[in-house]
Amino acid sequence: MQANGTGQDRDSEVSCHTIAQNGESSSTGVAHSNGLVSVTNNGNNVSNNNNGVTAQSASNNSNNTSDGVKKKKRLSQCEEDVIRLIGQHLHDLGLNQTVDLLMQESGCRLEHPSATKFRNHVMEGEWDKAESDLNELKALMLSPSAIVRMKFLLLQQKYLEYLEDGKVLEALQVLRAELTPLKYNTERIHILSGYLMCSHAEDLRTKAEWEGKGTISRTKLLDKLQTYLPPSVMLPPHRLQTLLKQAVELQRERCLYHNTKLDSGLDSVSLLLDHACSRKQFPCYTQQILTEHCNEVWFCKFSNDGTKLATGSKDTTVIVWHVNMETQQLKLMKTLEGHAYGVSYLAWSPDDSYLIACGPDDCSELWLWNVQTGELRTKMSQSHEDSLTSVAWNPDGKRFVTGGQRGQFYQCDLDGNLLDSWEGVRVQCLWCLSDSRTVLASDTHQRIRGYNFEDLTDRNIVQEDHPIMSFTVSKNGRLALLNVATQGVHLWDLQDRVLVRKYQGVTQGFYTIHSCFGGYNEDFIASGSEDHKVYIWHRRSELPIAELSGHTRTVNCVSWNPILPGLLASASDDGTVRIWGPAPFLDVQDAEGLSECCSMDS
């Protein structure tokens, strides 16, 4: 390392002074090789040999040095920690001489000498010495009782290596005389004893799920053993990389536009700059306008595999669109006709084979279509007095529930046969949970209740102060997204039964608007609005991160592609469906000048 002189005051750096044989400070570089410190003075190499003095000893004797020698700065705990982290990383890279020099010059210690000795004995497979080292480490441990667990791990490795080497008698002795007397994890001991029956080394490695004798398994053993030692004694493995990964992950979490799955490793990112996603990569720009419907479009929904989009309209048709997963362009696939009352709600079966279409309040029937053939499998109507406006599939794909505001609440099979019914429940919206038993239903009492069709019990889950016009549930079943009349979009935790967040900006009256979760890891929320816009929020932020303009009337429904996180669809009373995606390949000024997207930074 380069020194800049002996008399210069450097408050922000650690002064580096190597003491030569004559007691004077060296003014140039220091090179370390084979445990010796070499001092270069004016181009001439002077070997300290055994008389070399480390930076630590120089620090201890700094009061006795000449007036021309600068006293070594005392390092803070944070500075020592950083040096140790760097030293560990350099050691992992094999730069051991550099590590030695760093520790000498800083006066720090990478790890406790007892830990170093323990590490060497483990890596060399000297198990008796390693076991003896545990006695020294015991006094340094936060929980001395962990010695038994550490000893068990050591002996287990010793036992497996004996077996791999074919030393069955020695292995049996370890099992009987050393492992068993510990009286720890007898279940594991029984498993270990079974390995005595392995016919060859490969069989042993397979059954034990073990890498075999050598550096890999011993390194993994050390990683486990380290967890019982305080970091002041031995650093956790790869600690610097762990901290850097955590920093990158935190930056991604705070990035409002992060919408892609990235490699969890550090090779795919730059550590020289903070992580920041460009808004141009976010689905804020109109990619396509679908105009095949000839009246208001009330609903849109991507299939579970993301390859299709279904749209329902007041014009009484359902159109199924094919999604090109490479170009992300949509093409008309099928038109399903015959719905006398228009189509206000659609639900894909779990395997995307079937599509159920419901109508508005005065519709007493629902239609179950075979998507592949375009054939109508079931047209269900229990009574002309019914109002079947909502539907949800059971996860088994063999049943569905349907209901409406006139008090109908049915469970049916694929042929429309009635399996169960619940009397007097005025249903606004439905959702089946993954347990295949519980159905969530919003009703006219401004609440969401859970109904169990097996034991015929029900319970209150969400209570709002205003009508719940629609709701949807996250993939993990934990969160519910509600469109509440005159209030906008609310996020509820279904497990804790608490209101998590109220999202701002959207105009929500008494029209039924359907919002959705979406994006990578469902980190985003989108909703239509009566002010003709699509609003997008990051799930943790109440203010919208984007307002998408382009529709000319109320946006009734939005749907985020579950496979392509950069693809979003919106359906509007203006008769169109808009497909939103990242910015096209334009110049920066052109992309920022697109009128379809107006952003609001939160």
Side-chain angles (χ1 to χ4, degrees):
M1 298 180 70
Q2 186 71 28
N4 293 326
T6 61
Q8 187 176 1
D9 185 11
R10 295 161 57 198
D11 293 336
S12 61
E13 299 181 12
V14 179
S15 298
C16 305
H17 296 281
T18 302
I19 309 302
Q21 288 180 341
N22 59 4
E24 296 179 346
S25 172
S26 169
S27 61
T28 55
V30 180
H32 183 273
S33 177
N34 298 326
L36 302 179
V37 178
S38 298
V39 182
T40 304
N41 188 9
N42 298 326
N44 299 320
N45 292 335
V46 180
S47 176
N48 279 357
N49 296 328
N50 294 331
N51 295 323
V53 182
T54 66
Q56 179 65 47
S57 60
S59 176
N60 294 337
N61 297 304
S62 60
N63 292 331
N64 298 325
T65 57
S66 63
D67 294 339
V69 179
K70 178 76 170 61
K71 183 185 294 185
K72 178 179 286 294
K73 175 187 173 183
R74 182 177 180 84
L75 297 177
S76 68
Q77 184 63 53
C78 177
E79 290 169 332
E80 289 187 9
D81 290 346
V82 171
I83 289 174
R84 291 183 67 203
L85 291 171
I86 294 173
Q88 183 194 48
H89 184 64
L90 294 174
H91 181 271
D92 292 342
L93 295 176
L95 305 177
N96 296 326
Q97 293 184 11
T98 306
V99 176
D100 292 342
L101 183 57
L102 176 62
M103 294 301 116
Q104 289 179 15
E105 194 167 4
S106 65
C108 295
R109 180 170 73 183
L110 184 59
E111 59 188 16
H112 195 280
S114 297
T116 301
K117 184 169 59 172
F118 179 64
R119 177 192 299 277
N120 292 335
H121 288 155
V122 170
M123 293 305 297
E124 292 166 6
E126 298 184 28
W127 306 116
D128 293 340
K129 293 181 180 180
E131 189 174 343
S132 177
D133 295 336
L134 289 179
N135 296 325
E136 296 181 27
L137 293 171
K138 184 175 182 179
L140 304 173
M141 295 173 60
L142 299 176
S143 175
S145 62
I147 284 290
V148 174
R149 295 191 286 273
M150 296 179 72
K151 188 174 181 179
F152 185 90
L153 292 172
L154 279 176
L155 293 174
Q156 176 179 250
Q157 179 80 10
K158 179 181 178 181
Y159 169 78
L160 291 172
E161 292 194 7
Y162 274 149
L163 280 182
E164 186 180 62
D165 290 339
K167 299 177 180 179
V168 179
L169 293 179
E170 289 88 340
L172 188 58
Q173 178 66 16
V174 172
L175 188 67
R176 289 178 175 177
E178 298 184 72
L179 276 168
T180 302
L182 290 177
K183 296 180 180 180
Y184 174 76
N185 202 346
T186 54
E187 181 179 351
R188 178 61 179 168
I189 290 177
H190 291 154
I191 295 175
L192 291 174
S193 64
Y195 299 152
L196 289 166
M197 306 303 295
C198 293
S199 57
H200 50 79
E202 184 62 34
D203 187 30
L204 171 67
R205 289 191 289 267
T206 301
K207 290 183 178 178
E209 298 180 351
W210 180 60
E211 293 78 9
K213 179 180 178 179
T215 302
I216 296 177
S217 65
R218 291 174 181 176
T219 298
K220 288 188 174 183
L221 171 63
L222 263 177
D223 290 349
K224 293 178 182 178
L225 293 168
Q226 180 279 324
T227 60
Y228 299 105
L229 297 172
S232 59
V233 176
M234 180 185 286
L235 285 172
H238 315 300
R239 182 59 184 161
L240 182 59
Q241 291 98 315
T242 299
L243 291 173
L244 292 174
K245 286 180 182 178
Q246 291 173 351
V248 170
E249 289 172 0
L250 180 61
Q251 290 182 22
R252 289 174 182 170
E253 290 177 3
R254 292 181 174 178
C255 176
L256 293 178
Y257 297 107
H258 183 70
N259 192 30
T260 57
K261 180 180 181 180
L262 295 179
D263 187 356
S264 59
L266 296 175
D267 293 337
S268 62
V269 299
S270 171
L271 299 177
L272 305 181
L273 295 171
D274 287 347
H275 171 84
C277 289
S278 169
R279 187 172 163 278
K280 296 179 182 64
Q281 300 170 335
F282 204 69
C284 292
Y285 304 89
T286 300
Q287 306 281 26
Q288 229 179 322
I289 302 176
L290 310 179
T291 60
E292 277 71 5
H293 285 294
C294 58
N295 209 324
E296 299 172 0
V297 186
W298 288 340
F299 200 83
C300 62
K301 184 70 174 178
F302 281 105
S303 60
N304 298 293
D305 64 5
T307 64
K308 294 178 282 292
L309 174 72
T311 57
S313 170
K314 186 178 180 181
D315 66 9
T316 74
T317 67
V318 174
I319 298 180
V320 180
W321 309 83
H322 174 71
V323 181
N324 187 311
M325 302 300 280
E326 294 183 1
T327 65
Q328 299 189 14
Q329 292 291 301
L330 276 69
K331 182 179 180 181
L332 193 149
M333 178 177 165
K334 284 184 176 66
T335 300
L336 310 176
E337 301 177 321
H339 308 87
Y341 298 91
V343 179
S344 61
Y345 195 85
L346 295 164
W348 290 92
S349 64
D351 64 358
D352 295 326
S353 298
Y354 297 104
L355 183 67
I356 295 180
C358 297
D361 290 343
D362 52 354
C363 180
S364 61
E365 57 191 26
L366 61 78
W367 300 54
L368 193 156
W369 294 91
N370 184 315
V371 178
Q372 295 300 322
T373 64
E375 296 176 352
L376 179 66
R377 169 161 180 167
T378 303
K379 179 180 179 183
M380 187 195 109
S381 178
Q382 294 296 324
S383 168
H384 292 295
E385 302 299 321
D386 286 352
S387 173
L388 303 181
T389 58
S390 185
V391 68
W393 283 91
N394 189 289
D396 64 12
K398 299 176 181 178
R399 296 169 290 166
F400 61 86
V401 290
T402 182
Q405 293 194 27
R406 296 178 185 173
Q408 293 75 42
F409 192 7
Y410 305 131
Q411 181 169 228
C412 307
D413 63 15
L414 295 181
D415 295 319
N417 298 316
L418 187 63
L419 302 177
D420 300 286
S421 65
W422 214 290
E423 298 296 331
V425 180
R426 300 180 182 274
V427 174
Q428 179 69 24
C429 193
L430 292 165
W431 193 273
C432 291
L433 295 184
S434 59
D435 62 8
S436 296
R437 298 187 306 271
T438 307
V439 177
L440 302 183
S442 60
D443 56 31
T444 54
H445 297 285
Q446 305 170 2
R447 64 190 180 183
I448 295 177
R449 293 179 65 80
Y451 296 87
N452 190 314
F453 274 90
E454 291 187 359
D455 57 19
L456 300 181
T457 59
D458 60 314
R459 59 193 176 98
N460 203 39
I461 297 178
V462 169
Q463 182 66 61
E464 284 278 1
D465 296 328
H466 298 79
I468 300 171
M469 309 308 293
S470 68
F471 76 93
T472 187
V473 178
S474 60
K475 290 179 181 178
N476 61 12
R478 179 69 184 264
L479 301 173
L481 192 62
L482 284 61
N483 281 77
V484 184
T486 72
Q487 302 299 300
V489 181
H490 292 177
L491 183 68
W492 280 80
D493 186 313
L494 296 177
Q495 181 174 314
D496 295 337
R497 303 184 190 180
V498 295
L499 177 62
V500 177
R501 196 160 287 115
K502 296 181 178 180
Y503 297 101
Q504 302 179 24
V506 68
T507 302
Q508 169 80 64
F510 287 89
Y511 286 113
T512 299
I513 293 176
H514 299 272
S515 56
C516 69
F517 294 96
Y520 175 68
N521 201 32
E522 292 194 322
D523 284 335
F524 302 97
I525 286 168
S527 178
S529 177
E530 293 179 17
D531 63 3
H532 314 164
K533 295 180 180 179
V534 174
Y535 286 81
I536 300 178
W537 301 267
H538 195 285
R539 201 165 68 188
R540 67 169 182 270
S541 176
E542 294 185 356
L543 296 176
I545 62 173
E547 299 176 15
L548 313 186
S549 299
H551 286 294
T552 57
R553 293 183 63 187
T554 295
V555 180
N556 299 306
C557 183
V558 291
S559 180
W560 214 305
N561 191 292
I563 305 301
L564 302 173
L567 199 63
L568 177 71
S570 60
S572 171
D573 281 348
D574 64 11
T576 69
V577 177
R578 282 188 174 242
I579 306 301
W580 307 88
F585 295 102
L586 299 175
D587 293 336
V588 174
Q589 293 181 351
D590 293 337
E592 291 181 347
L594 290 176
S595 61
E596 283 91 348
C597 189
C598 302
S599 170
M600 293 178 59
D601 293 333
S602 59

